[in-house]
């Protein structure tokens, strides 16, 4: 199963069908209140448009979802927008599509297609990254252990968040969930139990441009 995804950078899309214009926006939203506030801000920005259809998906598994047709025929707008979010596995996000009517009726099939295409274009114009599960930790080790630690870390697909050199080496890193247990076991074996990690916590993270970005960690 693919990882769920999150919005790292918002994006705006566009689609036109028979002179009807569909302006779409994808935004990160971590609560229903935040999602609805974004919808309201889009309404104010495009105050002269009749329809501001939207969908949001809140929670890692889409625990809270809503789709709104905002005056369009039932199921022709909000549902296609939500299908884009669920199909892409995007959570903690709201997708709004504003329609300016072009004078020609599109029919239910045409509306569904237009809202879906506009929503999809906003996703394409955004930066959406897979969210991974792992463990974040701190570790201090002597210089004579640097080679072994760095080899184990690198071969465990570890992500270095920070590194400091003083009387010893201090690192803060992330390990993918499926590699963490083996790394910590190998670390104990290689150091004969002398090295111990601190502040070891489950976390969520994304990878961007070869770097890791810590999203959250559990207490």
């Amino acid at each position: 199963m693919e990882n769920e995804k999150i919005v790292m950078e918002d994006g705006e899309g566009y689609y036109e069908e028979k002179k009807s214009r569909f302006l779409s926006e994808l935004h990160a939203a971590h609560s229903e209140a935040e999602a609805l506030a974004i919808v309201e801000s889009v309404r104010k920005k495009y105050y002269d448009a009749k329809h501001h259809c939207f969908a949001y998906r809140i929670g890692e598994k889409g625990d809270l979802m809503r789709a709104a047709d905002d005056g369009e025929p039932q199921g022709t707008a909000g549902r296609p927008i939500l299908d884009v979010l669920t199909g892409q596995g995007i959570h903690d996000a709201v997708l709004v599509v504003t329609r300016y009517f072009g004078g020609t009726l599109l029919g239910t099939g045409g509306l569904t297609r237009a809202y879906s295409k506009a929503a999809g274009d906003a996703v394409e114009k955004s930066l959406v990254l897979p969210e991974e599960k792992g463990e974040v930790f701190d570790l201090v080790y002597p210089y004579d252990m640097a080679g072994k630690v760095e080899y184990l870390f690198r071969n465990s697909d570890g992500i270095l968040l920070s590194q400091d050199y003083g009387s010893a080496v201090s690192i803060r890193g992330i390990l993918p969930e499926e590699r963490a247990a083996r790394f910590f076991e190998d670390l104990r074996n290689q150091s004969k139990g002398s090295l111990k990690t601190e502040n070891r916590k489950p976390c969520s993270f994304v990878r961007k441009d070869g770097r890791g970005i810590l999203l959250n960690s559990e207490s």
Side-chain angles (χ1 to χ4, degrees):
M1 181 177 178
E2 292 186 3
N3 291 331
E4 291 280 307
K5 302 182 182 73
I6 62 166
V7 179
M8 299 299 293
E9 294 177 13
D10 300 340
E12 299 182 1
Y14 180 83
Y15 181 74
E16 186 170 333
E17 179 78 18
K18 296 180 181 179
K19 296 185 178 179
S20 276
R21 295 180 294 128
F22 298 82
L23 289 71
S24 53
E25 298 188 15
L26 176 65
H27 295 270
H30 302 285
S31 68
E32 184 174 36
E34 186 179 358
L36 293 175
I38 291 169
V39 173
E40 187 59 31
S41 71
V42 174
R43 288 186 191 277
K44 290 179 179 178
K45 181 163 64 171
Y46 302 116
Y47 63 90
D48 54 341
K50 185 176 180 180
H51 303 288
H52 303 279
C53 308
F54 66 90
Y56 54 75
R57 192 167 180 260
I58 309 297
E60 288 188 2
K61 300 300 180 183
D63 306 304
L64 178 61
M65 296 188 290
R66 180 184 172 191
D69 296 311
D70 195 35
E72 295 283 30
Q74 185 176 2
T76 62
R79 187 73 217 186
I81 297 170
L82 181 59
D83 286 345
V84 170
L85 291 177
T86 55
Q88 294 280 343
I90 300 170
H91 71 86
D92 287 338
V94 57
L95 217 173
V96 189
V97 181
T98 297
R99 180 191 182 194
Y100 283 94
F101 182 53
T104 302
L105 295 175
L106 302 183
T108 56
L111 282 174
T112 299
R113 180 177 60 253
Y115 277 103
S116 180
K117 286 184 175 294
D121 192 52
V123 173
E124 289 182 9
K125 300 292 175 56
S126 306
L127 178 61
V128 179
L129 297 176
E131 179 180 1
E132 299 182 51
K133 298 297 183 183
E135 290 193 34
V136 61
F137 67 95
D138 295 312
L139 176 65
V140 178
Y141 54 89
Y143 284 91
D144 60 9
M145 284 290 298
K148 291 181 179 180
V149 172
E150 289 162 13
Y151 173 81
L152 290 175
F153 188 64
R154 185 170 57 251
N155 282 274
S156 299
D157 200 19
I159 296 173
L160 188 65
L161 296 176
S162 63
Q163 188 169 32
D164 294 311
Y165 296 95
S167 57
V169 184
S170 301
I171 66 169
R172 183 168 176 78
I174 301 173
L175 291 162
E177 188 174 50
E178 67 277 8
R179 307 291 290 275
R182 180 60 183 271
F183 170 83
F184 294 122
E185 180 182 354
D186 289 344
L187 183 67
R188 283 192 297 271
N189 292 335
Q190 290 289 334
S191 69
K192 295 182 172 56
S194 64
L195 297 184
K196 296 180 181 179
T197 56
E198 297 181 352
N199 301 317
R200 181 180 166 185
K201 302 174 184 176
C203 70
S204 299
F205 68 98
V206 295
R207 301 174 191 264
K208 180 185 177 185
D209 301 327
R211 299 183 300 107
I213 300 174
L214 183 64
L215 299 176
N216 60 66
S217 60
E218 300 177 13
S219 300

